[in-house]
Amino acid sequence: MLKSVSQWLPLIGLAFFISSCAKVGPQIVEVRGNTMGTYYQVKYVLSAEQQGDSRLALKALQSDIDKRLELVNDQMSTYRPDSELSRFNRAEKSLEVSAATRQVIEASLTLFEQSNGAFDVTVGPLVNLWGFGPNKKANKVPSEELIAEKQKIVGSQYLSVNGKTISKAIPELYVDLSAIAKGYGVDVIADYLQEVGINNYLVDIGGELRLKGEKPQNTPWIVAIERPAEKQSVQRIINVGDNAIATSGNYRNYFESDDIHYSHSIDPRTGKPISHKLVSVTVINKSSMLADGLATAITVLGPESGLAFAKKYNLAVYLLVKEGDNISEYYTSEFIPFFIEEKK
């Protein structure tokens, strides 16, 4: 017996030596949580060297991510009464706010101008009027008089940024950044990951994504565009590269009255739900904030005007349009490089 054990000892030692010398490969770490009324998910790749860095461990990184997202909520949430945005909405004329809030509002004002008013962060009173606001009691068509009355207090032309202050020309103006703030939050987290040396990641807040680099074994991050249908299915598979991607869908949140379909997407220029057949918009951009806002703007503009808008500004945009019983796709030339394979 002793002879047998002594014969195995060199082999055990050799196995331990080989194991200890084996190269540790890159590892994917995943962090999940809740923010802005939805979920967030962050996947990032750590090299062998980074796996020994306590600052990049799951709990430490999640703590830093949560702090940054909490700050965005404290700045731009309409559900927090003490947020910067809530205090501005209660103010008569103006409020000094953070550089972050000013950045998002300035981007919103640019989109408002470029889209000829299709993207408007002051549309909240009309959204609430149609029953798609926080109470979500969408089942009644408001009168033309009520619509006209609400339109009097809607319009980003009444909103401005002056130095460190945001101002409104009418006291009733109400700003809601939900159509662009999630994208901004994605950018905040992506920029933070790069600051700490993580260059391969996927950041997802409620379906708004920003990606960079690759997964282990040089595998790209792959994104699926959903096909609007009762059952979930995939329309396209794309490789986004080092970019952000946002999709705005117009086929789930609606109500019907007298056999008329009323979408949750409100056109601030008419005060009414959009009535065209554009059901899904996907935008790829370096900035998640801009991709988020652009997807909403194009959804309101509709298939023809939206595609013309995308071509004017050289945007990578993909549209799905309901035509009879079929779903047709339209896209700009800038979107083509992201397709993994042509649709059969």
Side-chain angles (χ1 to χ4, degrees), residues 103-119:
Q103 177 188 349
V104 176
I105 289 180
E106 285 174 341
S108 300
L109 292 175
T110 297
L111 286 174
F112 173 75
E113 293 176 4
Q114 291 176 339
S115 66
N116 294 318
F119 182 87

Side-chain angles (χ1 to χ4, degrees), residues 140-189:
K140 186 178 179 181
V141 178
S143 68
E144 294 290 340
E145 291 76 16
L146 275 175
I147 294 171
E149 192 66 27
K150 291 299 181 183
Q151 281 189 293
K152 293 178 182 178
I153 58 172
V154 169
S156 286
Q157 67 269 23
Y158 303 121
L159 178 65
S160 60
V161 179
N162 307 286
K164 296 182 178 181
T165 300
I166 54 175
S167 304
K168 49 185 170 180
I170 53 176
E172 300 90 350
L173 197 71
Y174 182 89
V175 177
D176 186 337
L177 299 175
S178 58
I180 194 170
K182 279 194 301 180
Y184 173 77
V186 170
D187 287 333
V188 166
I189 301 308

Side-chain angles (χ1 to χ4, degrees), residues 60-73:
L61 208 75
Q62 180 156 26
S63 176
D64 286 344
I65 288 172
D66 286 338
K67 288 177 183 176
R68 283 161 175 78
L69 292 175
E70 277 297 294
L71 178 58
V72 175
N73 277 296

Side-chain angles (χ1 to χ4, degrees), residues 155-318:
S156 286
Q157 67 269 23
Y158 303 121
L159 178 65
S160 60
V161 179
N162 307 286
K164 296 182 178 181
T165 300
I166 54 175
S167 304
K168 49 185 170 180
I170 53 176
E172 300 90 350
L173 197 71
Y174 182 89
V175 177
D176 186 337
L177 299 175
S178 58
I180 194 170
K182 279 194 301 180
Y184 173 77
V186 170
D187 287 333
V188 166
I189 301 308
D191 291 344
Y192 161 68
L193 294 176
Q194 290 177 201
E195 287 173 9
V196 297
I198 295 174
N199 295 307
N200 299 278
Y201 58 75
L202 181 156
V203 180
D204 174 4
I205 298 181
E208 317 299 343
L209 310 177
R210 189 165 136 188
L211 311 93
K212 187 178 181 184
E214 298 174 316
K215 294 186 286 185
Q217 287 80 51
N218 300 317
T219 306
W221 303 102
I222 299 300
V223 175
I225 298 177
E226 185 177 87
R227 179 179 177 82
E230 292 183 2
K231 295 182 179 180
Q232 284 190 342
S233 58
V234 174
Q235 176 75 19
R236 285 278 197 169
I237 302 294
I238 57 175
N239 182 350
V240 179
D242 295 349
N243 289 294
I245 181 170
T247 296
S248 177
N250 187 41
Y251 53 93
R252 284 183 176 161
N253 193 2
Y254 63 91
F255 75 90
E256 292 185 356
S257 178
D258 296 328
D259 295 325
I260 299 176
H261 181 110
Y262 293 96
S263 165
H264 76 286
S265 297
I266 307 298
D267 187 337
R269 300 167 299 178
T270 65
K272 300 176 181 179
I274 59 176
S275 57
H276 52 67
K277 301 299 183 180
L278 177 55
V279 293
S280 176
V281 177
T282 299
V283 179
I284 295 177
N285 194 282
K286 287 295 182 184
S287 162
S288 183
M289 175 183 68
L290 292 181
D292 194 4
L294 285 165
T296 298
I298 294 170
T299 295
V300 174
L301 285 169
E304 294 84 9
S305 297
L307 196 60
F309 171 82
K311 290 179 178 178
K312 177 181 178 180
Y313 291 102
N314 302 312
L315 302 172
V317 171
Y318 177 86

Side-chain angles (χ1 to χ4, degrees), residues 3-46:
K3 182 178 180 182
S4 176
V5 170
S6 65
Q7 287 175 336
W8 277 104
L9 284 176
L11 295 175
I12 293 172
L14 179 61
F16 178 80
F17 176 78
I18 293 174
S19 175
S20 63
C21 293
K23 185 178 180 180
V24 177
Q27 176 186 4
I28 292 182
V29 181
E30 183 172 349
V31 173
R32 290 176 175 268
N34 297 302
T35 189
M36 303 182 193
T38 186
Y39 71 90
Y40 78 77
Q41 174 183 244
V42 179
K43 296 181 180 181
Y44 58 99
V45 180
L46 295 181

